[in-house]
Amino acid sequence: MNKDVMDLLHAALRAAKADGLVPEQADPPVLLEVPKRAGQGDFASTMAMALAKDAGKNGREVAEQLTRYMPKEPWLERVDIAGPGYLNFTMAPSYWHRLLANILEQGGAYGGSTIGAGRRVQVEFVSANPTGPLHVGHGRIAAVGDTLARLLEATGHTVEREYYINDLGKQMITLGQSLLARYRQHFGREAPIPEGGYQGEYLRELAKEMAENEGARWLDEPEEEAQRYCTQIASQRLLASIREDLDRFGVGFDVWTSEVALHLDGKVEQALKRLREAGHLYEEEGATWVRTMTFGDDKNRVVIRQNGQMTYFASDLAYHLDKYERGFDEIVDVWGADHHGYAPRVWAGMEALGRPRDRLKIVLVQLVALLRHGKPVSMSTRAGEFVTLRDVLDEVGRDAARFFFLMRRCDNALDFDLELAKAKSEDNPVYYVQYAHARLCSMQRQSADRGLAVPAPSEIDPAPLTLPEEQGLLRQLSLYPAVIEASAQLLEPHRVIFYLQEVAGLLHAYYNKHRVLTQDRTCSLARLALMQAVRTVLANGLTVLGVAAPERM
RNA sequence: GCGCCCGUAGCUCAGGGGAUAGAGCAGAAGCCUUCUAAGCUUCUGGCCGGAGGUUCGAGUCCUCCCGGGCGCACCA
């Protein structure tokens, strides 16, 4: 997918429509692939074949006509029609020259685009209850959410990262009760952790801390008051610790929204009022329901329980309404896939509130299975023997953790092997990509020692770059902007990983086969320019993943 | 039972309706007096879960079936 050629295709399509060759409503995929075999050009498109039916002609005929509509560009050597109607594009040498100069000129900006210019996007992710430390599943969501945000930024969007704190409800009460039990235990009292309570060691530590700061005074306070205090202390401390973990993971948020605050600000009341005015609320069995079924949900949902308390869903309606009212052009929620059944309900709620559902995109991230030497590591939050994100960071480090979390499509479950992730060996894909970058840096240090500097963009003489490996590298580098765009538009960060592995593979192969620093100065300089371009793309790609691009390894 | 996701090489997975389906790992054989061997080269490996359908063309879209995961609260 090369954006310059894609522009040509778009232009040809427009012209063909204007001329009536194809119907105005035809919307073929304007996509490019890199042909698998030599002799099929640098890029290929199937657009003509896709249009064949609408145009009432066969693919080859459409292809021929499209080439006539295509603007003539000096950097395009030729367009061939092949097979059932492929358009095969062969680029002129000047194209590769320009590409190379372009990458060196743009540096860290290469690959960025402006498709999102003027568009504000919110990405909400992690949003874990402050009832315990983040586990590996949160880690994957954090990596995905943050990388999506980076991708959207790279494509010109204005992005806000947001964490929604579920600091209200039964779980928070249970948390307080659990801490209170630990606190009492600390003073030698008989105090069981409540049914379904939090067993983790972290509450024992918190209880000890509380005893040191507050003494024994909470032993004598009334149960409910003590529990409320414990809930407050625990959620505060746990949230702080969650923030620390995320910080270490390279993930930061612009906005933290609290569910409690939503209620205090009257936002939940307001949302319910709106629903009531719109006629979407009704009473039944002493509860208040919203008619989400009208908007595609399986059943209607309770917003105010019999006991008068609001449900989590009520808060969430208010929360999402608030997001819409903050004026985002696009709202992205990143959820664990175990919440997938919740999505239709939220979309329905938004429609009931008169908001377009397609503005809210929900990315579902499947679970992480933690392995060690290929054997599963057991995880269970309640039993308290889970592996936390912090444990993983301690063991494998930020770069490997982020890379592994992003290696698979989000809708596939992920096997995360701790031993593999920290192996400083050939098996570890993180190092494969980072090593390519470090290698290039090392080479540049060598060339500097020999008095050879990477040429300035305007000084590049690409004439010596005639090897097929060099053409392959240039072709691959030219795809980068489209990879970033597609990853951002489809909300699929794994594409960047696969792309970078390919770049690294081509680089390593080239490196082993040919020397960059040779006796021939002109050739060395041309190759140095190419290597700088590869380095730039590797660095930019790793940056968008939040993974370091080391200069030495 | 209903809904969503997944099923592609021995394993882990890419593959946006198009040309002869790819990569890594595992297995076999090679490559370091020269820019980092955390690397490279070559070989082996496939009824894309199954059956129908749509299409000039299906791993990709539709229907059904089988197998696995996750959901189906007046929990969050």
Side-chain angles (χ1 to χ4, degrees):
Chain A
M1 298 209 286
N2 172 296
K3 289 187 62 183
D4 298 301
V5 180
M6 282 161 73
D7 288 344
L8 282 184
L9 285 170
H10 278 294
L13 180 61
R14 270 195 306 274
K17 280 182 179 176
D19 243 17
L21 171 68
V22 295
E24 196 57 42
Q25 67 275 16
D27 187 24
V30 181
L31 297 171
L32 289 165
E33 52 185 39
V34 175
K36 297 181 191 82
R37 273 158 287 279
Q40 296 175 332
D42 292 307
F43 307 102
S45 166
T46 62
M47 191 173 82
M49 294 180 281
L51 285 169
K53 182 168 286 177
D54 282 335
K57 298 187 165 63
N58 70 42
R60 288 192 72 97
E61 284 169 342
V62 177
E64 252 166 65
Q65 279 168 313
L66 281 176
T67 57
R68 266 181 256 132
Y69 287 117
M70 222 168 274
K72 298 283 171 285
E73 297 286 353
W75 44 263
L76 184 64
E77 192 165 291
R78 60 172 202 280
V79 184
D80 298 307
I81 295 158
Y86 282 95
L87 289 165
N88 288 343
F89 298 84
T90 303
M91 315 306 270
S94 69
Y95 179 81
W96 303 117
H97 184 189
R98 200 189 69 178
L99 172 76
L100 204 47
N102 205 6
I103 296 174
L104 265 55
E105 239 160 54
Q106 292 192 45
Y110 177 67
S113 83
T114 54
I115 52 167
R119 288 178 66 79
R120 288 180 62 228
V121 184
Q122 186 214 50
V123 184
E124 182 221 320
F125 57 110
V126 185
S127 300
N129 297 354
T131 55
L134 297 177
H135 55 73
V136 281
H138 295 125
R140 186 178 188 191
I141 291 173
V144 168
D146 184 58
T147 302
L148 288 176
R150 287 168 189 252
L151 281 165
L152 290 164
E153 283 167 345
T155 45
H157 300 82
T158 302
V159 180
E160 263 181 40
R161 295 167 172 81
E162 179 151 333
Y163 189 117
Y164 179 52
I165 311 162
N166 296 138
D167 49 4
L168 193 69
K170 194 191 274 181
Q171 297 189 6
M172 297 312 294
I173 293 168
T174 307
L175 175 69
Q177 290 166 342
S178 304
L179 175 58
L180 186 56
R182 289 299 193 204
Y183 175 78
R184 287 168 174 161
Q185 287 170 10
H186 179 81
F187 289 99
R189 304 285 174 91
E190 184 75 18
I193 301 280
E195 187 79 15
Y198 298 91
Q199 310 273 351
E201 199 57 32
Y202 57 93
L203 284 186
R204 221 190 284 265
E205 287 159 26
L206 243 181
K208 191 175 157 215
E209 209 175 291
M210 185 173 152
E212 279 160 12
N213 294 336
E214 309 262 338
R217 56 180 282 232
W218 292 101
L219 290 177
D220 307 319
E221 297 287 336
E223 173 78 19
E224 198 173 319
E225 211 164 306
Q227 172 260 305
R228 205 172 301 139
Y229 178 79
C230 284
T231 293
Q232 194 206 320
I233 284 292
S235 68
Q236 247 172 36
R237 299 304 307 270
L238 290 169
L239 193 62
S241 136
I242 284 171
R243 265 173 131 135
E244 265 172 45
D245 289 356
L246 289 168
D247 200 49
R248 263 187 73 193
F249 199 40
V251 174
F253 291 87
D254 305 301
V255 179
W256 298 72
T257 298
S258 142
E259 187 182 353
V260 168
L262 276 181
H263 280 85
L264 293 178
D265 293 348
K267 298 239 166 104
V268 186
E269 280 296 341
Q270 278 172 34
L272 293 185
K273 187 170 163 234
R274 271 217 217 165
L275 285 170
R276 197 179 304 279
E277 283 165 359
H280 297 307
L281 289 192
Y282 66 96
E283 317 287 324
E284 194 175 290
E285 296 168 8
T288 304
W289 302 66
V290 54
R291 283 183 220 283
T292 47
M293 279 177 89
T294 314
F295 304 96
D297 195 9
D298 293 338
K299 51 172 82 164
N300 291 330
R301 307 292 174 173
V302 170
V303 281
I304 306 176
R305 296 198 276 261
Q306 271 183 349
N307 64 12
Q309 288 189 333
M310 309 230 195
T311 60
Y312 173 81
F313 183 52
S315 309
D316 223 12
L317 286 175
Y319 177 48
H320 281 90
L321 178 61
D322 186 58
K323 293 191 191 198
Y324 276 83
E325 285 180 344
R326 280 188 265 163
F328 294 108
D329 298 292
E330 197 173 322
I331 299 162
V332 179
D333 282 13
V334 185
W335 296 353
D338 53 341
H339 288 72
H340 70 264
Y342 192 69
R345 187 180 319 188
V346 175
W347 279 319
M350 289 305 102
E351 273 192 35
L353 285 160
R355 304 289 165 164
R357 73 165 57 197
D358 49 313
R359 194 170 302 172
L360 169 63
K361 304 219 167 114
I362 297 174
V363 176
L364 297 169
V365 181
Q366 288 286 349
L367 308 181
V368 178
L370 212 50
L371 307 178
R372 190 179 288 287
H373 297 300
K375 295 254 169 66
V377 177
S378 73
M379 284 179 288
S380 148
T381 328
R382 287 292 155 86
E385 53 157 340
F386 48 86
V387 178
T388 62
L389 173 60
R390 182 172 296 193
D391 292 338
V392 172
L393 286 176
D394 285 342
E395 197 167 334
V396 311
R398 179 203 285 193
D399 289 340
R402 287 189 73 121
F403 198 95
F404 268 66
F405 283 134
L406 296 169
M407 245 178 357
R408 304 279 175 249
R409 295 180 56 98
C410 290
D411 46 17
N412 266 340
L414 171 72
D415 285 336
F416 190 130
D417 195 307
L418 288 164
E419 297 303 325
L420 178 59
K422 71 179 175 186
K424 288 198 162 35
S425 81
E426 54 203 308
D427 304 340
N428 193 333
V430 189
Y431 293 107
Y432 187 80
V433 177
Q434 288 186 318
Y435 184 57
H437 184 267
R439 237 181 183 178
L440 291 172
C441 293
S442 167
M443 177 197 295
Q444 290 179 342
R445 288 190 292 270
Q446 286 270 342
S447 72
D449 288 348
R450 302 185 194 185
L452 276 179
V454 175
S458 58
E459 306 288 312
I460 296 170
D461 173 9
L465 300 178
T466 53
L467 296 167
E469 289 85 358
E470 291 163 342
Q471 287 301 307
L473 272 167
L474 285 166
R475 194 182 298 128
Q476 178 76 6
L477 297 181
S478 78
L479 303 178
Y480 180 68
V483 169
I484 294 300
E485 246 184 53
S487 305
Q489 279 175 330
L490 300 170
L491 303 175
E492 293 183 348
H494 74 277
R495 289 169 181 273
V496 180
I497 299 254
F498 282 90
Y499 172 80
L500 287 179
Q501 285 180 308
E502 268 175 54
V503 175
L506 292 174
L507 185 272
H508 287 309
Y510 178 68
Y511 182 93
N512 275 277
K513 194 165 171 187
H514 306 288
R515 287 190 63 78
V516 169
L517 308 176
T518 64
Q519 298 303 314
D520 180 341
R521 186 181 168 83
T522 316
C523 177
S524 299
L525 286 173
R527 291 182 176 177
L528 270 175
L530 175 60
M531 293 302 102
Q532 172 63 22
V534 176
R535 175 185 168 176
T536 300
V537 168
L538 286 171
N540 292 1
L542 286 169
T543 301
V544 96
L545 301 174
V547 175
E551 298 196 0
R552 292 170 205 273
M553 285 174 77

